[in-house]
Amino acid sequence: MTITTINQHKVFGGNLTQCNHQSNTVNCTMRFSVFMPSSASKENPVPVLYWLSGLTCTDENFMQKAGALRVAEQLGIAIVAPDTSPRGTDVPDDSNQAYDFGLGAGFYVNASQAPWQQHYQMYDYIRYELPQLITQHFPVSAQRAISGHSMGGHGALVLALRNRDFYSSVSAFSPICHPVNCPWGEKAFSHYLGDNKDDWQQYDASILISKTGRQLPMLVHQGGGDEFLEQQLQPQALLDAAKRKHYPLEFNMMDGYDHSYYFISSFIEQHLQFHAQHFKR
């Protein structure tokens, strides 16, 4: 698998590289960004955090706005931020170009319905193709964590709960916790996965947490002033499921914070420290 470097920047001593490649999983050219700390080398591979962004975002939002790179350099952690959906003129989009479906809104699922199934295989892309590509081209170790925001928080929780031996920890900001029962999730899942709601459950963290075996360290921050809190995000569903399962979820409701990257940048250091702690273990 080959990659092409689009641009590269020196930042806090490390290197931020934006790349693209031809994906065999989503059948288009995909773009991603990688931050490598200065400590990383072939002789000293470093652990890697995969960051999944939310609706309307690309690989650039987190790297530019989250304020994570200084801390990642200090902790010796690589960060990989993929795009949020397949892209290209041949990739189908919402007929009305809505922000919550189609391009920019892949929801980290494997679509089974036409015309989406040819390209919208984001679950397999994040779980299989992208890690193989990163391991091939960058000095990263076998220690991996995953995190994300909103739609990306949903994706991070789902991928971690379904792959507990692949990741050492998971965290999320303002995740969509119960997508089978919220407008964003219902719209995306009905198009990508069809009308059988039993098929949706494999992508719902509040359902998956009740079925989990080995418990993965989990950290969630939610803004109390988030405009999407009650209707779309529904963190209470995740909290209730974790309580029933006695799952050690560390959940933080932060009064006054909204859904933006101002919120993420306020607490991203705690998340990186959380993952660093579990990398060491």
Side-chain angles (χ1 to χ4, degrees), residues 16-157:
L16 176 62
T17 307
Q18 188 179 51
C19 306
N20 63 23
H21 73 106
Q22 183 61 36
S23 168
N24 296 321
T25 303
V26 296
N27 297 301
C28 67
T29 300
M30 288 294 285
R31 195 175 72 186
F32 61 89
S33 291
V34 180
F35 173 75
M36 294 300 301
S38 59
S39 59
S41 67
K42 187 178 296 185
E43 295 74 28
N44 182 46
V46 295
V48 56
L49 173 68
Y50 288 88
W51 172 270
L52 307 184
S53 292
L55 292 166
T56 76
C57 292
T58 68
D59 63 298
E60 295 181 320
N61 296 73
F62 178 81
M63 297 301 192
Q64 294 177 357
K65 297 179 178 181
L69 304 186
R70 174 185 59 82
V71 183
E73 166 66 18
Q74 292 172 351
L75 295 173
I77 295 175
I79 301 177
V80 176
D83 203 348
T84 51
S85 77
R87 307 276 181 173
T89 56
D90 295 332
V91 176
D93 191 12
D94 183 82
S95 58
N96 297 315
Q97 296 184 317
Y99 78 95
D100 57 354
F101 182 71
L103 297 185
F107 269 84
Y108 306 103
V109 303
N110 286 338
S112 59
Q113 305 298 301
W116 317 104
Q117 80 274 29
Q118 181 181 356
H119 297 285
Y120 287 79
Q121 302 293 314
M122 287 297 294
Y123 178 91
D124 278 357
Y125 178 73
I126 300 299
R127 171 59 181 85
Y128 298 107
E129 186 174 17
L130 183 61
Q132 292 173 10
L133 194 71
I134 297 300
T135 300
Q136 179 181 346
H137 292 279
F138 297 92
V140 297
S141 72
Q143 290 187 300
R144 309 171 202 87
I146 191 165
S147 185
H149 171 233
S150 193
M151 177 186 72
H154 138 76
L157 293 175

Side-chain angles (χ1 to χ4, degrees), residues 192-251:
Y192 292 142
L193 305 173
D195 294 329
N196 184 353
K197 293 189 176 182
D198 289 341
D199 295 336
W200 301 6
Q201 295 186 14
Q202 62 184 312
Y203 299 110
D204 188 299
S206 296
I207 294 173
L208 290 172
I209 204 170
S210 65
K211 300 178 179 180
T212 187
R214 173 174 170 258
Q215 296 178 334
L216 203 65
M218 182 182 294
L219 171 66
V220 174
H221 273 72
Q222 172 61 59
D226 193 319
E227 63 269 38
F228 304 114
L229 178 60
E230 298 299 333
Q231 184 180 33
Q232 302 284 10
L233 306 179
Q234 301 180 23
Q236 193 61 50
L238 186 69
L239 286 166
D240 291 344
K243 184 177 180 180
R244 289 193 298 269
K245 186 66 175 179
H246 303 289
Y247 197 101
L249 164 63
E250 182 180 341
F251 183 88

